[in-house]
Amino acid sequence: MAYSGVVKPANKIVAGGSPLEQELKIENAANMYPGRLVKKGTNDDDMVVNTAAGATLGWLGYEQTNPAFMPTDVDTIYALDDMAAVLYGGSFLIVGSLASGQNVTKGARLKAAADGELAAGIVGTDEIVAIAEESVDASSAAADIVVLSLI
């Protein structure tokens, strides 16, 4: 029998598939944790953490980033002016962050939320950026969640 569960990778954020990558400079380090959604900064080669209404570029990478700029682990924030990988292209599994106050089940459609996190979305109303690959209860605090990227 095949195992259908998703296993979070150890100190990595890509759980499956092969995303496209580009390297951009962190313009503002606030909430710039691996696995957060990012958007364009001031210049085309800058990025900042995504907002709920942001035009999402992709996911802030980790293991794809040059070791000179890579944080100690996936729970450590990037520093200002670090050059980091942005992952995009869809059809890959990634560990994102489900915003505090959210409780989703596997298969839920997710939209961008504040601080580069994810929230439950409504198809046809919201820009859906991911599909939950596991059920996660983040009612009391933000929590990691494995998702299928659609961006």
Side-chain angles (χ1 to χ4, degrees):
M1 178 187 328
Y3 175 70
S4 61
V6 175
V7 177
K8 289 184 182 121
N11 208 33
K12 293 182 179 183
I13 60 166
V14 174
S18 299
L20 299 174
E21 303 172 21
Q22 62 178 302
E23 186 178 72
L24 298 175
K25 183 177 72 178
I26 293 179
E27 182 178 6
N28 182 331
N31 293 304
M32 293 295 272
Y33 291 97
R36 297 290 177 101
L37 293 166
V38 294
K39 65 180 183 176
K40 178 188 170 294
T42 303
N43 301 304
D44 284 350
D45 63 344
D46 295 330
M47 67 174 142
V48 295
V49 74
N50 203 55
T51 58
T56 308
L57 288 178
W59 308 86
L60 184 54
Y62 179 70
E63 62 269 24
Q64 306 78 5
T65 296
N66 182 315
F69 298 108
M70 187 185 295
T72 307
D73 57 41
V74 294
D75 298 318
T76 302
I77 199 164
Y78 277 93
L80 181 68
D81 293 330
D82 277 355
M83 296 299 293
V86 175
L87 311 176
Y88 64 101
S91 298
F92 60 94
L93 299 175
I94 188 162
V95 180
S97 181
L98 187 63
S100 180
Q102 298 291 307
N103 184 1
V104 301
T105 57
K106 182 174 180 162
R109 281 15 185 197
L110 303 171
K111 66 179 181 177
D115 299 329
E117 294 183 319
L118 297 162
I122 301 169
V123 175
T125 300
D126 300 312
E127 180 185 357
I128 304 302
V129 297
I131 299 172
E133 287 293 319
E134 61 180 341
S135 299
V136 173
D137 185 352
S139 297
S140 58
D144 286 348
I145 183 170
V146 176
V147 299
L148 173 65
S149 176
L150 301 179
I151 57 170

